[in-house]
Amino acid sequence: MRNGIGKTTPASLDQLGMFSSLLCSVHCLLMPLVFPLLLSSGLAWLGNWRLEWAILGVTVLIAGYALLVGYIRGHGRPWPLLLAAAGLLVFALSFS
């Protein structure tokens, strides 16, 4: 994920962000189906709210960094930042 000079490229940050978003989507889709199996197999900790917030925190850090780097070094448009903020707001409201 680094170019030849040793700097993290915006493209690699975008790929990392897309991958973490994909993992989050798969997690959210499968959890309602898999959670009963986790309870019966002793892996209920995978459905713990602390793990959910840890995954969210890591994803927000990666996405925030990638968005800021893209804004500063690249396009300079505020729309990706605003869309990300709106998405985080909707996600945060879903927990309350």
Side-chain angles (χ1 to χ4, degrees), residues 20-70:
S20 65
S21 178
L22 175 69
L23 287 179
C24 185
S25 299
V26 169
H27 171 81
C28 290
L29 287 171
L30 291 180
M31 206 55 178
L33 301 172
V34 176
F35 191 68
L37 297 173
L38 295 176
L39 291 174
S40 63
S41 65
L43 297 174
W45 62 271
L46 288 173
N48 190 328
W49 64 270
R50 289 181 184 104
L51 180 64
E52 299 275 337
W53 281 99
I55 292 170
L56 175 64
V58 169
T59 302
V60 166
L61 289 174
I62 293 169
Y65 183 72
L67 284 166
L68 287 175
V69 168

